[in-house]
Amino acid sequence: MSQDVTYLGFDISTQQLKAVVINDALRITHQSSVSFDLDLPEFRTHGGVYSHDDKLTVTAPPIMWIKAFDMILEKLKLDGLDFSSVAAISGAAQQHGSVYWKKGAEQILHTVLPNKFLHEQLQGCFSMRDSPVWMDSSTTSYCKTFERGVGGPIMLSQITGSRAYERFTASQIAKLHQTKPVVYNNTERISLVSSFAATLFLCHYAPIDLSDGSGMNLLDIHLKDWSDVCLEVCAPNLREKLGVPVPSSTVLGTIAPYFVDRYGFAETCKIIAFTGDNPASLAGTQLNKGDMAISLGTSDTVFLWLTEYRPSLDGHILCNPLTSKDFMALLCFKNGSFTRERIRDDCADGSWQLFSDLLDSTPRGNFGNIGMYFDMMEIVPPMIGDYRFNRNNELVQRFSKEVEVRALIEGQFLAKRVHAENVGFTIGSKSKIIATGGASANQAIVQVLSDVFNVPVYVLDFPNSACLGAALRAKHGLLGEEFGFHKMFEEPLKLHLSAKPAKDAAEIYGPMLLRYRILEDRIIRENDF
């Protein structure tokens, strides 16, 4: 392929739609974005979503996402992108959101006209106007029923890679079927946000890919197909509404004539299966076996490449988007930057510089003190509140400011390592951590991360890893899974070494990890979390 060939990747996050274009040398040539709140004010979303009065239900309108695609393609056109150079398109989207196409919608998709925007022509295509998204927590009772119907949370985790979660698609579908059966029966196809977006570029229903599909509590991640027992417990006639899942590197077909006529895409432009934002981030960070990516943001998220896994109630196991043989693990910790900011305000007068100075002023291991800090009910471990233990494992009321700061940071990273190991992650001699998110810029925090895991920590140059991963997957899809994703790179993406572990890191944190496990179990048991 010549150097003027390009690959286009999209990412529908909660608050915006992003696009990245890379050339055949994997260098970024164009990028653009559309903010749902700012650029599409007519939808009156806040943070890209509607938060309902019950404070549990959270939705977003799919027609807003469609209009965002209309806008971002126009922006890329104005930016000078030659759409005829695009050889393949793929995408990523916020995981767990679901879109409900009404009967007859695919026929409308087949007949869209290039002289009108897509959002003008697809207004009436949805049996449910607004889509539940990952922030929704209105399905607790359906989760409990679902777990019982399958044989318990461990059995569900064994089949699907996760116990039941409110935001997962199975409980959302069960809620729709039981509370709005007419709407459910009028639904022709159920898409994830990722396959919904791919559908737009094909103008016919796109299948759900295995990696995003394994975040639904419906896919048997071993058989790589929908689980009959999960489908039966969830809702009737569900298999036909979901379609057949496909490997994440699948070429779904060529781009629809609408985009050829309206924007000048080549008729040969291929659409590669879209996937979830977390699997796409695994690609965007070039994660490899034995590596870990950690995003330190509002919530802290850990991505792991696993060759095998242990069924666990910790986190989520997904099919790997880069190879159908392996898995990826996803661990999400709600208490991220907000908790760090609280301790910063309490101990360092709101100054990150003073916070870092306090952190650096205390030795590794913090004199044997361990802290666990949870402003809201955590996912893993399921705990809330602050817990401070001295070197004798006794609960204490207060730490000094410098001990408090180190107890917070060490405690957060001890938890991440404990629960990563719980799902089967093993640190190897060549393992590394790729850190992203706001706190990855704090050298003192990153140094503790490196010490606790006893591996070097690198920082990625380009922050939009999901969007970049989508563009990289577009090229990989053309080459085929058997080519090997990492073989595409003549040289790795630019990573900056941020921290190396201290020589005594294993000696100090090995015993602390054992203590942390014991203390965490004790708190959960004593408080009946």
Side-chain angles (χ1 to χ4, degrees), residues 150-214:
V150 173
I154 285 289
M155 179 59 72
L156 183 59
S157 176
Q158 172 67 48
I159 297 170
T160 71
S162 302
R163 68 175 307 165
Y165 287 93
E166 285 87 351
R167 65 189 184 279
F168 276 36
T169 321
S171 59
Q172 296 291 344
I173 293 172
K175 175 186 174 183
L176 177 65
H177 169 248
Q178 293 182 41
T179 61
K180 299 178 180 178
V182 174
V183 173
Y184 178 80
N185 291 332
N186 193 39
T187 297
E188 181 172 81
R189 187 65 168 249
I190 299 173
S191 295
L192 297 180
V193 182
S194 58
S195 60
F196 151 82
T199 293
L200 300 179
F201 286 96
L202 293 166
C203 285
H204 61 76
Y205 293 144
I208 293 171
D209 85 292
L210 291 174
S211 195
D212 204 6
S214 51

Side-chain angles (χ1 to χ4, degrees), residues 385-398:
D386 293 346
Y387 305 91
R388 301 170 179 85
F389 297 92
N390 63 20
R391 62 191 307 167
N392 298 317
N393 295 339
E394 297 167 335
L395 273 171
V396 297
Q397 291 298 312
R398 299 185 65 82

Side-chain angles (χ1 to χ4, degrees), residues 35 48 77 180 221-222 225 247 258 275 302 371 396 413 463 499:
S35 167
K77 185 177 180 179
K180 299 178 180 178
I221 61 175
H222 308 282
D225 192 11
Y258 171 89
T275 192
V302 177
V396 297
F413 294 146

Side-chain angles (χ1 to χ4, degrees), residues 158-437:
Q158 172 67 48
I159 297 170
T160 71
S162 302
R163 68 175 307 165
Y165 287 93
E166 285 87 351
R167 65 189 184 279
F168 276 36
T169 321
S171 59
Q172 296 291 344
I173 293 172
K175 175 186 174 183
L176 177 65
H177 169 248
Q178 293 182 41
T179 61
K180 299 178 180 178
V182 174
V183 173
Y184 178 80
N185 291 332
N186 193 39
T187 297
E188 181 172 81
R189 187 65 168 249
I190 299 173
S191 295
L192 297 180
V193 182
S194 58
S195 60
F196 151 82
T199 293
L200 300 179
F201 286 96
L202 293 166
C203 285
H204 61 76
Y205 293 144
I208 293 171
D209 85 292
L210 291 174
S211 195
D212 204 6
S214 51
M216 298 172 70
N217 279 144
L218 292 172
L219 187 84
D220 187 319
I221 61 175
H222 308 282
L223 299 178
K224 305 294 193 293
D225 192 11
W226 305 121
S227 162
D228 287 330
V229 65
C230 292
L231 295 179
E232 184 178 346
V233 172
C234 185
N237 305 316
L238 187 50
R239 184 178 285 272
E240 63 188 54
K241 294 181 187 294
L242 294 174
V244 178
V246 298
S248 302
S249 298
T250 301
V251 178
L252 302 181
T254 54
I255 196 166
Y258 171 89
F259 297 94
V260 176
D261 295 340
R262 185 175 181 89
Y263 294 104
F265 282 94
E267 293 180 354
T268 55
C269 177
K270 297 296 190 292
I271 307 302
I272 311 302
F274 285 33
T275 192
D277 51 1
N278 294 305
S281 287
L282 182 140
T285 55
Q286 282 190 63
L287 211 63
N288 216 326
K289 296 178 182 179
D291 292 344
M292 172 185 296
I294 297 182
S295 175
L296 301 171
T298 303
S299 60
D300 290 347
T301 309
V302 177
F303 309 104
L304 309 166
W305 182 308
L306 300 177
T307 54
E308 56 185 36
Y309 81 96
R310 293 191 292 267
S312 169
L313 300 184
D314 287 3
H316 319 299
I317 305 298
L318 309 175
C319 296
N320 193 302
L322 304 181
T323 168
S324 56
K325 299 183 301 182
D326 293 339
F327 302 95
M328 69 170 284
L330 171 66
L331 299 167
C332 187
F333 301 84
K334 288 183 183 178
N335 295 275
S337 63
F338 288 154
T339 306
R340 289 188 286 270
E341 289 166 7
R342 171 170 67 88
I343 300 301
R344 177 204 63 188
D345 295 343
D346 290 346
C347 298
D349 299 324
S351 165
W352 281 118
Q353 182 58 57
L354 180 55
F355 182 95
S356 298
D357 292 343
L358 291 170
L359 183 56
D360 285 336
S361 72
T362 46
R364 288 179 294 280
N366 206 15
F367 308 105
N369 298 295
I370 290 180
M372 304 175 188
Y373 301 83
F374 307 102
D375 291 356
M376 63 185 86
M377 179 60 76
E378 189 51 272
I379 301 171
V380 284
M383 293 165 56
I384 190 169
D386 293 346
Y387 305 91
R388 301 170 179 85
F389 297 92
N390 63 20
R391 62 191 307 167
N392 298 317
N393 295 339
E394 297 167 335
L395 273 171
V396 297
Q397 291 298 312
R398 299 185 65 82
F399 286 146
S400 63
K401 290 182 178 180
E402 63 272 17
V403 170
E404 182 97 324
V405 167
R406 181 164 281 273
L408 165 72
I409 299 302
E410 286 187 343
Q412 287 189 326
F413 294 146
L414 286 167
K416 290 171 177 55
R417 180 165 174 181
V418 162
H419 292 281
E421 291 176 352
N422 284 353
V423 297
F425 182 72
T426 302
I427 294 173
S429 60
K430 296 183 178 180
S431 293
K432 64 179 179 293
I433 290 175
I434 300 168
T436 64

